[in-house]
Amino acid sequence: MIEVANVVKVYRRGKTEVRALNGVSLTVPKGQFLSIMGSSGSGKSTMLNLLGALDVPTSGTLRIDGKEISRFPDDQLSQFRRDRLGFIFQFFNLLPTLSAVENVILPELLSGRSREELEPKANALLEQFGLKGRGSHRPDELSGGEMQRVAVARALLAEPALLLADEPTGNLDSKTGAEVLRLIREATRERNLTVVMVTHDPKAAEVGDRLVRLADGNIVGDESVRAAA
Ligand code: ADP
Ligand code: MG
């Protein structure tokens, strides 16, 4: 599913160079839930941005489903992102003036599909995620956990192959965070979705299948996670 080979990412700011990734190689099979941990500045977000085709590596290759994403022209890249990738963020990134349903369907609406087609799917997802009857609520009428569940529904609406999550529980209390993680785990397992999740929280990493540790742009640990009983 994902093949990362010798990826180096160097940021240049004026005369200073930061080597955010220092030759990282990693293979993630389809359906695997991979957690990436590491201290602040270790390269986690850089890795996720490269996998999400939001940035390109300085050298090395990233393949998703056999396709080398860093070689895509811009128009193909945005289409690939829309069709194949789902994103979840720490701060939910919902639009405050839109209802929950409208937030869920917005990306697909912008890529040209109709509201009539999308709304029933969005409502079904919201219901599956325990938000029946909340579809017309705006984000400020929802709790943090509910907002993140809306964001998960938005990420899954287009039936992506790969879900990328950057600290999805970083803004939730531990009980709510655990509930949201369980939901992500179940919803992605059901769909045989590959997940790459960046987290600070060792508890969060336990829901995944595998844990990779980053330090100073290098992989310093790679272990499988025993499913909690
Ligand atoms: P993490 O998400 O693990 O905290 P990042 O991937 O955000 O780490 O950053 C890794 C390193 O790259 C840090 O030293 C950070 O300061 C640097 N960095 C990240 N993004 C940029 C950028 N756009 N320009 C310059 N340096 C950056
Ligand atoms: Mg980060």
Side-chain angles (χ1 to χ4, degrees):
M1 169 76 200
I2 302 176
E3 288 174 272
V4 175
N6 302 313
V7 163
V8 173
K9 180 67 186 180
V10 177
Y11 292 109
R12 286 193 183 79
R13 217 185 259 150
K15 281 182 192 144
T16 49
E17 274 194 358
V18 178
R19 236 174 142 78
L21 292 175
N22 197 14
V24 167
S25 298
L26 181 69
T27 303
V28 186
K30 182 167 172 57
Q32 187 168 71
F33 191 133
L34 170 69
S35 305
I36 298 181
M37 285 188 74
S39 55
S40 180
S42 57
K44 305 183 298 297
S45 294
T46 300
M47 187 69 213
L48 218 56
N49 289 343
L50 294 176
L51 288 173
L54 299 166
D55 204 350
V56 291
T58 307
S59 65
T61 56
L62 290 112
R63 284 179 211 275
I64 296 181
D65 284 341
K67 295 187 196 71
E68 194 176 331
I69 54 175
S70 46
R71 296 269 167 82
F72 280 172
D74 279 351
D75 55 333
Q76 267 186 48
L77 210 52
S78 45
Q79 188 176 356
F80 171 80
R81 223 182 278 130
R82 270 202 313 268
D83 294 348
R84 308 291 290 158
L85 307 182
F87 294 90
I88 307 174
F89 308 94
Q90 180 174 356
F91 296 105
F92 323 132
N93 293 16
L94 300 177
L95 290 177
T97 57
L98 298 184
S99 71
V101 172
E102 288 166 340
N103 268 288
V104 173
I105 68 173
L106 184 66
E108 284 294 273
L109 207 54
L110 293 176
S111 62
R113 293 171 64 193
S114 74
R115 183 179 270 267
E116 291 67 37
E117 175 193 0
L118 295 169
E119 272 194 3
K121 285 183 71 181
N123 283 318
L125 277 171
L126 290 175
E127 188 170 339
Q128 187 194 348
F129 294 168
L131 293 168
K132 189 172 160 63
R134 301 287 213 301
S136 62
H137 291 214
R138 286 198 323 260
D140 66 0
E141 299 165 331
L142 299 171
S143 69
E146 289 172 335
M147 285 192 270
Q148 194 60 306
R149 284 185 271 159
V150 171
V152 176
R154 178 181 56 190
L156 298 185
L157 185 72
E159 297 170 14
L162 172 61
L163 181 67
L164 300 170
D166 200 346
E167 300 274 3
T169 60
N171 206 35
L172 302 174
D173 65 68
S174 56
K175 180 168 171 287
T176 307
E179 286 164 6
V180 167
L181 281 172
R182 202 174 322 124
L183 182 146
I184 295 173
R185 169 79 274 195
E186 280 167 16
T188 55
R189 187 176 277 160
E190 217 169 76
R191 293 166 173 79
N192 199 24
L193 249 167
T194 310
V195 183
V196 179
M197 174 178 78
V198 161
T199 182
H200 260 97
D201 178 3
K203 276 256 170 270
E206 279 174 19
V207 305
D209 302 312
R210 177 182 175 193
L211 171 60
V212 160
R213 294 176 196 278
L214 281 180
D216 297 328
N218 296 299
I219 292 180
V220 294
D222 187 349
E223 61 204 84
S224 55
V225 176
R226 280 213 355 215

